[in-house]
Amino acid sequence: MTTSIASPAAAPTAAVPGTAAVIDTGRVAGLIHQLLAELGEDPAREGLTGTPDRVAAWWNAFLSPDGAATATCFTESQLGGQLVVVGGMSVWSLCEHHMLPMNLQVTTGYVPDGEVVGLSKFGRIAQHFAGRLQVQERFTRQVAEYLGGVIGHENLAVAVRGVHLCMSMRGVRMEEARTTTVHSGGRFGTDPVLSQQFLTLTTGLWGAP
């Protein structure tokens, strides 16, 4: 397992979700048809006749995820500086180096200040930034920066645990390998007790490898 920890020097700002590219599914299907032929397959044989169209449709859906949506925040003045941790979020993305899938388990934590964020928002943020060619380190930072813009301050942390098929099924082929990235900001970077609480809860949610 590898772990990287980043502490931003300045308060994070909301990342603006990029506009989804227009996918020419017909052309993509044609390229998949050509790829199958170049790999020695017969694209016209039974079992492959509809494959190019299916693959093109999948790429179109994958690269056009729902937006992160407008944040729903609820006023809550009596919070007592408590830690809020949202975990159990699992999203799929594609490694941009080998275009193979990676499964990312996401846990976020923040200290509310006068209001709380609607819980479904966290999953939508993760899904949005997963729906593109990615690297785990960038994904972790993007989720943290966007969340920082939503809550309006940097007292937050994002931990991501990834299973990368580019490491599990190719190269060294280590199926049990896991990569962990942690982005800590504000009090999570300066308060060891708060940081340890978050990491303890996070590893508990992830459980055994």
Side-chain angles (χ1 to χ4, degrees):
M1 179 180 74
T2 61
T3 303
S4 64
I5 299 177
S7 297
T13 56
V16 179
T19 302
V22 177
I23 308 298
D24 185 341
T25 54
R27 177 161 173 76
V28 173
L31 292 171
I32 298 300
H33 185 282
Q34 182 180 345
L35 175 62
L36 288 170
E38 292 296 329
L39 293 175
E41 284 285 358
D42 176 9
R45 74 168 172 81
E46 183 180 4
L48 287 181
T49 53
T51 295
D53 290 332
R54 286 190 291 268
V55 174
W58 176 83
W59 273 108
N60 184 57
F62 175 76
L63 294 175
S64 306
D66 292 336
T70 303
T72 302
C73 297
F74 305 93
T75 301
E76 185 60 63
S77 58
Q78 300 182 17
L79 295 173
Q82 64 184 262
L83 167 63
V84 177
V85 175
V86 181
M89 295 176 286
S90 178
V91 296
W92 285 94
S93 189
L94 281 183
C95 164
E96 67 182 33
H97 300 142
H98 302 97
M99 296 180 70
L100 288 173
M102 54 182 174
N103 180 250
L104 306 173
Q105 297 181 54
V106 184
T107 303
T108 62
Y110 75 109
V111 178
D113 183 14
E115 61 181 16
V116 294
V117 181
L119 296 178
S120 64
K121 178 66 176 179
F122 297 93
R124 293 185 184 277
I125 294 173
Q127 288 177 336
H128 178 80
F129 289 107
R132 60 192 68 181
L133 298 180
Q134 268 287 17
V135 295
Q136 183 176 327
E137 296 85 347
R138 184 194 308 134
F139 170 82
T140 305
R141 174 180 56 79
Q142 288 174 333
V143 171
E145 289 180 349
Y146 191 90
L147 180 58
V150 170
I151 66 178
H153 58 77
E154 62 175 349
N155 296 320
L156 62 92
V158 176
V160 180
R161 187 175 192 242
V163 178
H164 298 248
L165 266 64
C166 59
M167 189 175 185
S168 300
M169 67 178 294
R170 63 164 296 281
V172 293
R173 298 189 180 183
M174 293 184 177
E175 297 182 8
E176 299 302 319
R178 302 291 184 271
T179 299
T180 303
T181 46
V182 180
H183 187 108
S184 302
R187 288 180 55 193
F188 286 87
T190 60
D191 185 339
V193 174
L194 183 63
S195 178
Q196 186 58 51
Q197 286 178 333
F198 172 72
L199 292 176
T200 299
L201 288 169
T202 296
T203 54
L205 288 168
W206 288 341

